[in-house]
């Protein structure tokens, strides 16, 4: 299948970068946001200014809309470039709109995101065999540089992309690669989800710098200053526990530094040493990124609630201890006054509350059985 029409849902950093890039490259592009306030500057400018490698171009989506049905109708690919906290809303809104010939791409899926999304589709009454995929992280590292201006720092290299169910990969992934040439096949959506580099590193950086962020409203480079040697050791602890989950699922174990390097985010020298502190210090694409000014930020809400929590939940299903991950969830919950174990993505949210390890593997390969719908 050749994809020519793409609906991009979400008009933040990733959504605007994706929509502008696809429009410039000649795809029929529709950009959706729930917020008219977000879309108005794009309409006034007549599109989105895309800055990359010192070059500027105006990406002009064919449609900029707050009407989801208009964005999705007739699209070959629906790309959801929205925070994981929006996946439930997106699934329930899309349930009556999707057709069997459409594909859905979570950009990115976070950890367990596609399982969550498809489970919510089914809870909302969708019974068509929706073909979904997810990428490990955003297809590019980018930030909004103004109301209608987005800058791409780097296209993510060797971007793992997995199909759900995994058995649909031969048809689905080549089509998606025609839109995003930087993707490479991953085994299943936990191969991608457990390679969630943001969840591995952001929570430790936020908890470890809690006082500075609170007193100075960020005011430091996140990757170069906030991720100090001691914070890097916390990240190593998270990575060690994550790898135990990966091995228990029979997936290929790759360290944080290996994933970070494969994405084009650090140096060859850091890969050779395997040192997390060196890897973050030598991350050229991330060198100018400033720390969040508050703990009320996706580096905590998303990367703990929809990153570390599902890792801990999967670990419990597999009888794996995760003391470092558990400690970061607890500290982040206390820090923000949010019970992330309750509000985050649990086994029930992923449709796995009745699954054992064998059932989990079957679901990843072939999808949810009809009997597993919980209204």
């Amino acid at each position: 299948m050749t994809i020519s029409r793409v609906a991009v849902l979400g008009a933040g950093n990733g959504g605007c970068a994706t929509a502008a890039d696809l429009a410039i490259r000649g795809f029929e592009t529709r950009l959706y946001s729930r917020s008219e306030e977000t879309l108005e500057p794009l309409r006034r400018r007549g599109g989105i200014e895309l800055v990359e490698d010192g070059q500027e171009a105006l990406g002009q989506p064919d449609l900029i809309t707050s009407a989801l049905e208009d964005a999705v109708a007739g699209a070959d690919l629906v790309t959801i470039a929205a925070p994981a906290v929006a996946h439930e809303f997106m699934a329930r809104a899309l349930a009556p709109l999707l057709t069997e010939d459409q594909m859905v791409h979570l950009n990115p899926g976070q950890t367990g995101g596609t399982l969550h999304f498809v489970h919510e589709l089914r809870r909302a009454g969708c019974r068509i065999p929706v073909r979904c995929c997810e990428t490990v992280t955003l297809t590019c590292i980018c930030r909004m540089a103004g109301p209608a201006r987005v800058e791409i720092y780097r296209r993510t290299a060797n971007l793992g992309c997995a199909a759900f169910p995994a058995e649909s990969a031969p048809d689905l992934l080549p089509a998606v690669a025609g839109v995003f040439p930087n993707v490479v096949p991953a085994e299943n959506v936990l191969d991608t989800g457990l390679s969630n580099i943001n969840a591995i590193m952001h929570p430790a950086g936020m908890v470890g710098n809690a006082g500075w962020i609170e007193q100075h409203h960020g005011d430091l480079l996140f990757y170069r200053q906030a991720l100090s040697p001691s914070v890097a050791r916390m990240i190593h602890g998270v990575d060690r526990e994550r790898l135990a989950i990966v091995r228990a699922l029979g997936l290929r174990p790759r360290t944080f530094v290996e994933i970070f390097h494969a994405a084009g985010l650090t140096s060859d020298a850091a890969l050779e040493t395997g040192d997390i502190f060196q890897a973050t210090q030598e991350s050229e694409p991330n060198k100018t990124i400033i720390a969040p000014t508050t703990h009320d930020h996706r580096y905590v809400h998303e990367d703990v609630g929809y990153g570390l929590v599902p890792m801990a939940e999967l670990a419990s299903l597999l009888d794996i201890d995760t003391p470092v991950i558990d400690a970061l969830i607890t500290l982040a919950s206390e820090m923000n006054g949010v019970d992330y174990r309750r509000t985050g993505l649990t086994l029930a949210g992923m449709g796995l509350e009745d699954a054992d390890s064998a059932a989990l593997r079957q679901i990843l390969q072939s999808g949810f059985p009809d009997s597993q719908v919980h209204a």
Side-chain angles (χ1 to χ4, degrees):
M1 176 181 177
T2 300
I3 295 170
S4 61
R5 297 178 298 275
V6 183
V8 179
L9 311 186
N13 298 323
C16 282
T18 300
D21 175 56
L22 294 181
I24 290 167
R25 289 165 51 204
F27 289 89
E28 182 184 323
T29 308
R30 300 90 171 269
L31 178 62
Y32 162 83
S33 172
R34 283 188 282 179
S35 169
E36 282 289 336
E37 184 179 354
T38 298
L39 297 177
E40 187 53 34
L42 313 184
R43 293 196 181 105
R44 286 200 306 267
R45 181 63 185 87
I48 304 158
E49 295 176 2
L50 180 65
V51 183
E52 184 175 11
D53 295 331
Q55 303 296 313
E56 298 186 16
L58 182 65
Q60 297 178 287
D62 297 271
L63 178 66
I64 297 174
T65 182
S66 60
L68 183 62
E69 60 273 21
D70 293 341
V72 171
D76 303 314
L77 178 68
V78 177
T79 290
I80 299 176
V85 295
H87 287 168
E88 180 176 344
F89 164 80
M90 287 292 186
R92 292 187 168 271
L94 286 168
L97 303 178
L98 293 174
T99 61
E100 288 192 26
D101 57 346
Q102 291 179 311
M103 296 178 286
V104 178
H105 165 219
L106 271 64
N107 182 26
Q110 302 298 338
T111 301
T114 295
L115 295 170
H116 180 209
F117 176 79
V118 174
H119 180 58
E120 290 297 338
L121 275 179
R122 290 157 50 78
R123 290 184 67 204
C126 182
R127 290 294 177 270
I128 63 170
V130 177
R131 294 171 297 165
C132 290
C133 67
E134 68 174 38
T135 40
V136 169
T137 187
L138 278 172
T139 50
C140 59
I141 298 171
C142 55
R143 288 292 186 274
M144 295 298 292
R149 184 179 177 88
V150 65
E151 183 171 0
I152 292 179
Y153 301 138
R154 186 182 182 91
R155 309 264 174 159
T156 308
N158 301 303
L159 181 62
C161 184
F164 183 77
E167 63 191 21
S168 68
D171 295 325
L172 181 57
L173 297 189
V176 173
V179 181
F180 302 107
N182 50 337
V183 302
V184 295
E187 186 170 337
N188 59 46
V189 293
L190 286 185
D191 189 9
T192 47
L194 289 168
S195 300
N196 182 353
I197 54 179
N198 289 342
I200 299 168
M201 64 180 168
H202 288 163
M206 295 298 286
V207 170
N209 291 273
W212 186 273
I213 290 170
E214 196 163 53
Q215 291 297 317
H216 300 279
H217 306 290
D219 191 29
L220 78 165
L221 298 171
F222 190 80
Y223 294 86
R224 292 292 173 91
Q225 295 174 310
L227 302 187
S228 66
S230 58
V231 171
R233 286 193 289 274
M234 286 193 278
I235 295 170
H236 177 75
V238 172
D239 202 40
R240 181 178 62 247
E241 295 170 5
R242 176 192 67 87
L243 284 168
I245 303 168
V246 168
R247 291 188 181 96
L249 289 171
L251 299 171
R252 180 165 66 100
R254 293 185 300 156
T255 67
F256 168 81
V257 176
E258 288 172 330
I259 298 167
F260 207 51
H261 179 267
L265 299 177
T266 195
S267 66
D268 292 343
L271 176 64
E272 289 182 14
T273 65
D275 184 77
I276 290 175
F277 176 67
Q278 182 179 353
T280 55
Q281 290 298 295
E282 296 178 4
S283 179
E284 189 67 20
N286 290 322
K287 68 180 182 180
T288 62
I289 294 178
I290 303 296
T293 59
T294 172
H295 298 121
D296 183 15
H297 192 272
R298 64 183 179 85
Y299 280 13
V300 185
H301 297 316
E302 184 169 56
D303 294 331
V304 174
Y306 290 79
L308 294 187
V309 168
M311 286 186 194
E313 291 277 297
L314 290 165
S316 70
L317 186 153
L318 298 165
D319 293 322
I320 293 169
D321 292 331
T322 53
V324 178
I325 290 174
D326 292 341
L328 284 170
I329 294 170
T330 298
L331 290 172
S333 297
E334 292 295 329
M335 182 176 74
N336 271 2
V338 175
D339 183 356
Y340 288 112
R341 291 189 182 279
R342 182 181 61 82
T343 64
L345 184 54
T346 63
L347 289 174
M350 291 182 278
L352 301 175
E353 70 267 48
D354 297 327
D356 58 17
S357 60
L360 171 59
R361 290 179 176 85
Q362 183 61 35
I363 288 168
L364 293 171
Q365 181 63 26
S366 302
F368 291 109
D370 287 344
S371 62
Q372 202 176 339
V373 180
H374 296 268

